[in-house]
Amino acid sequence: MRTTGTTGTTAATCASGTTYAALPAPASADARREPGEIFGARFTLFADMLAVGVATTVASLPLVTAPAAMAAACTVLRESVRDDRPAGFGRYVDELRAQTVARSVAAGLAVIAAAVLLGFDLLLAGAGLPGARAVSCVLAAVAAAGLVVGLRAVSDPELSRGRRAAFLRAAHRAGADLPGSLLVLVAAGVCAVLVWMLPLLAVLAPGALAFAVTAVELRRGAAPRPCDPAPAGSPEPLPSRSRGKDESR
């Protein structure tokens, strides 16, 4: 597929020689700025991330609601980036309510139980038992893998339809997209270090983490496949220049 561009428009030509009608090019952040707006869309997205972080922290206070709170944060930020929808507190509350209460609490209890079991194993490994160092390394690897899969699972757009299926898809993506999994792990580590250095950032860290995970998932799924069939309602394909020359001959 070859893409040609003019001022403010883009056109795509497939290998078959079919050229699709020119479409408006995505506007830049400055072009989307409203008259009188000082900061622009990028600062608005940053403010949305901070607001979502505060809402996620408040919603995660019971601990068992932490997975549902992170899932709502990822959904709100994903729609803010992809669909340009406002990410206000009301929107976050609506997404949080959309999560099934029983399944959300069950997922939260499972996360807490896994964390407690892992911490207990680490305490036993640090008690001077034989092979404690190897056991500690294995447990750390298991914890990192579980954290990555869990974060990628809560960012799944189809999470509300089935958490088990979302977890399996997240595990598959974590293994198939190792660079993305590394980015998620680094983002979690950076958030942990920032909270350790300045505990007040704990209120905002969930928003930054949710935004990082959402960006990783959008990075994986945003690239269009070459020469996909035109969706319903799209402009009709135009004959390419080469085809017009052949017909004239």
Side-chain angles (χ1 to χ4, degrees), residues 14-98:
C14 294
S16 59
T18 302
T19 301
Y20 289 93
L23 298 177
S28 62
D30 294 334
R32 294 196 305 267
R33 187 175 299 181
E34 297 292 337
E37 188 177 357
I38 299 176
F39 299 106
R42 295 180 181 177
F43 188 85
T44 302
L45 180 60
F46 178 73
D48 290 342
M49 181 190 70
L50 298 182
V52 168
V54 174
T56 304
T57 301
V58 175
S60 301
L61 289 179
L63 296 182
V64 294
T65 57
M70 283 296 296
C74 292
T75 301
V76 170
L77 291 175
R78 179 174 59 252
E79 293 180 352
S80 177
V81 173
R82 188 178 59 187
D83 303 331
D84 199 20
R85 299 185 63 178
F89 286 103
R91 177 63 183 157
Y92 180 85
V93 172
D94 292 340
E95 288 296 334
L96 189 61
R97 289 177 177 175

Side-chain angles (χ1 to χ4, degrees), residues 158-175:
E158 304 294 333
L159 178 65
S160 59
R161 297 186 179 183
R163 282 168 171 74
R164 181 177 180 181
F167 186 83
L168 294 177
R169 288 194 299 267
H172 175 73
R173 292 197 306 272

Side-chain angles (χ1 to χ4, degrees), residues 67-168:
M70 283 296 296
C74 292
T75 301
V76 170
L77 291 175
R78 179 174 59 252
E79 293 180 352
S80 177
V81 173
R82 188 178 59 187
D83 303 331
D84 199 20
R85 299 185 63 178
F89 286 103
R91 177 63 183 157
Y92 180 85
V93 172
D94 292 340
E95 288 296 334
L96 189 61
R97 289 177 177 175
Q99 302 291 328
T100 306
V101 177
R103 292 183 178 181
S104 300
V105 172
L109 291 176
V111 171
I112 293 175
V116 171
L117 180 61
L118 184 63
F120 183 71
D121 291 339
L122 289 175
L123 289 176
L124 290 179
L129 299 177
R133 180 173 300 180
V135 173
S136 299
C137 293
V138 172
L139 291 177
V142 171
L147 178 63
V148 170
V149 173
L151 288 175
R152 301 194 76 160
V154 296
S155 65
D156 194 314
E158 304 294 333
L159 178 65
S160 59
R161 297 186 179 183
R163 282 168 171 74
R164 181 177 180 181
F167 186 83
L168 294 177

Side-chain angles (χ1 to χ4, degrees), residues 133-231:
R133 180 173 300 180
V135 173
S136 299
C137 293
V138 172
L139 291 177
V142 171
L147 178 63
V148 170
V149 173
L151 288 175
R152 301 194 76 160
V154 296
S155 65
D156 194 314
E158 304 294 333
L159 178 65
S160 59
R161 297 186 179 183
R163 282 168 171 74
R164 181 177 180 181
F167 186 83
L168 294 177
R169 288 194 299 267
H172 175 73
R173 292 197 306 272
D177 182 25
L178 292 180
S181 298
L182 181 60
L183 289 175
V184 172
L185 187 61
V186 170
V190 170
C191 290
V193 171
L194 291 177
V195 172
W196 173 73
M197 295 175 60
L198 188 60
L200 291 177
L201 293 178
V203 181
L204 305 176
L209 183 58
F211 183 76
V213 178
T214 302
V216 169
E217 295 297 335
L218 290 178
R219 151 193 163 274
R220 177 177 173 81
R225 290 174 294 180
C227 296
D228 279 345

